[in-house]
Amino acid sequence: MRFAFFLLLLPTAALADDFALLADDRLLTQGEVHELTQRPVVEFYDGGQSRYAADGAYSYTYQRGGTAHGQFKIASQGVICIAYNNGRSRCDTFVWSHGRLVMLTEKGGRFAIRP
């Protein structure tokens, strides 16, 4: 079922051009995004933590507890699309901005990632 969802999601996945980039943002390459997803944990400054598994499993643990689970795929231009187990989905992209790695959401959110 999740695989079928990704077949529907990927053709309509946001392209990196669809995100609100700042003048000095540099998009990560698809290879750099693959490297990012191989980290044991991607930690945000707000205390949240993303985990990307080799089998496509994804989890996000909130600062105050609780975890959302789903599956992820790396789409064109290094965009990561996540299908959550609760039926929701979203796509994100990553940039280097002023010396920091930052995740951009489709809705315009910018979340700096700890080194």
Side-chain angles (χ1 to χ4, degrees), residues 1-30:
M1 179 71 171
R2 287 187 197 123
F3 180 72
F5 173 77
F6 277 117
L7 290 178
L8 295 173
L9 180 66
L10 289 177
T12 60
L15 298 176
D17 296 336
D18 295 336
F19 291 88
L21 299 173
L22 299 179
D24 293 335
D25 287 350
R26 182 188 67 80
L27 286 167
L28 269 64
T29 65
Q30 195 158 7

Side-chain angles (χ1 to χ4, degrees), residues 6-97:
F6 277 117
L7 290 178
L8 295 173
L9 180 66
L10 289 177
T12 60
L15 298 176
D17 296 336
D18 295 336
F19 291 88
L21 299 173
L22 299 179
D24 293 335
D25 287 350
R26 182 188 67 80
L27 286 167
L28 269 64
T29 65
Q30 195 158 7
E32 289 172 319
V33 173
H34 278 284
E35 287 179 28
L36 177 69
T37 63
Q38 292 175 6
R39 288 185 182 183
V41 65
V42 175
E43 187 173 0
F44 298 89
Y45 280 94
D46 68 0
Q49 297 180 339
S50 288
R51 288 179 173 80
Y52 302 90
D55 66 357
Y58 172 82
S59 67
Y60 179 81
T61 303
Y62 296 89
Q63 174 190 18
R64 296 180 186 228
T67 302
H69 297 275
Q71 296 289 313
F72 81 96
K73 293 280 185 191
I74 300 175
S76 64
Q77 296 184 6
V79 173
I80 292 182
C81 294
I82 302 165
Y84 290 97
N85 294 349
N86 66 7
R88 294 185 178 172
S89 64
R90 74 163 208 252
C91 295
D92 305 315
T93 196
F94 297 85
V95 298
W96 282 106
S97 183

